[in-house]
Amino acid sequence: MSDVSQILSQIESGDPKAAEQLLPLVYDELRRLAAGRLAQEKPGQTLQATALVHDAYIRLVDGEQTQRWDSRGHFFAAAAEAMRRILVENARRKQSLKQGGDCSRLELEFDIAAFAEAKHDLLAIDEALEELQQVDPEKATLVKLRFFAGLSETEAAAEMQISRATASRYWTYAKAWLFNRLREREISEKSQNP
């Protein structure tokens, strides 16, 4: 059992000192994931990678409810999900009326081939991703690992314990599915606001 898995097991059993031992072991990797994801954000992002890592880590290990992780991969998937939620909450806060949320929105071009690299409306992507989660949770997990955690296809496949070829097929399907959802949303918004 790896050090990370052993410490996760100790955290699960209620050892209060185990959480302190975990952060130094996973910090560099979490920081790399956070930095990669923040690099994909629109210019003007005020959240820093260090703050994102710390907020996500607090949500994972300092909660009142004991978390259960089956493996190191499960922990990093949970970290990716926590980072996604923090970024979405931050985007919603910025979009509120108090923050100028009623300003007109610029339409962004969506190129399916550049999905992972493009800087899209995070809230629209999150809503489409929630729909995909209901339809196909495994493909949604892959998108979260690739798009929000910044993992490569090979890294995401390893974390999900699937082959790289399967990850490639899932990624192609998920991009097309999300592209269609975002396109439908764009058309719907245009028809409602001519």
Side-chain angles (χ1 to χ4, degrees):
M1 183 182 286
S2 74
D3 289 343
V4 172
S5 297
Q6 189 174 16
I7 292 172
L8 291 173
S9 178
Q10 291 171 351
I11 290 172
E12 186 179 310
S13 65
D15 182 351
K17 293 185 181 186
E20 295 171 14
Q21 297 170 352
L22 179 63
L23 186 58
L25 292 175
V26 298
Y27 183 81
D28 288 339
E29 192 167 349
L30 288 176
R31 181 128 182 9
R32 183 182 61 81
L33 295 175
R37 180 58 198 122
L38 287 172
Q40 302 294 321
E41 289 294 307
K42 295 178 184 178
Q45 172 62 261
T46 57
L47 194 60
Q48 298 296 318
T50 301
L52 182 57
V53 167
H54 288 220
D55 288 350
Y57 186 78
I58 287 169
R59 288 185 184 200
L60 291 171
V61 298
D62 282 351
E64 292 177 12
Q65 213 174 19
T66 302
Q67 299 287 335
R68 295 187 64 94
W69 293 289
D70 298 329
S71 65
R72 180 180 186 280
H74 186 213
F75 174 78
F76 281 101
E81 178 68 14
M83 288 181 197
R84 179 183 73 87
R85 289 182 182 186
I86 290 166
L87 290 169
V88 168
E89 289 166 6
N90 195 36
R92 284 190 177 130
R93 181 187 52 78
K94 284 183 174 182
Q95 197 176 48
S96 71
L97 287 176
K98 183 177 178 182
Q99 302 293 326
D102 60 346
C103 295
S104 61
R105 189 173 114 179
L106 294 174
E107 294 298 321
L108 301 173
E109 288 298 317
F110 186 81
D111 177 7
I112 194 164
F115 177 77
E117 291 80 23
K119 295 174 175 84
H120 300 293
D121 180 355
L122 185 60
L123 296 178
I125 292 172
D126 183 62
E127 288 176 15
L129 188 55
E130 289 297 327
E131 289 180 43
L132 180 58
Q133 179 73 33
Q134 298 301 315
V135 174
D136 196 333
E138 196 166 30
K139 289 179 180 76
T141 297
L142 179 70
V143 171
K144 290 173 190 175
L145 290 172
R146 296 277 332 267
F147 190 73
F148 288 98
L151 296 182
S152 69
E153 195 170 88
T154 303
E155 292 169 329
E159 291 298 327
M160 293 179 66
Q161 297 179 345
I162 58 176
S163 71
R164 192 190 154 292
T166 299
S168 181
R169 284 193 310 274
Y170 284 4
W171 183 238
T172 300
Y173 175 87
K175 286 189 299 184
W177 194 95
L178 290 168
F179 173 77
N180 286 333
R181 282 295 184 261
L182 292 170
R183 198 74 171 135
E184 289 170 4
R185 179 187 177 132
E186 181 183 358
I187 291 168
S188 173
E189 287 176 1
K190 283 183 179 181
S191 68
Q192 291 175 0
N193 301 319

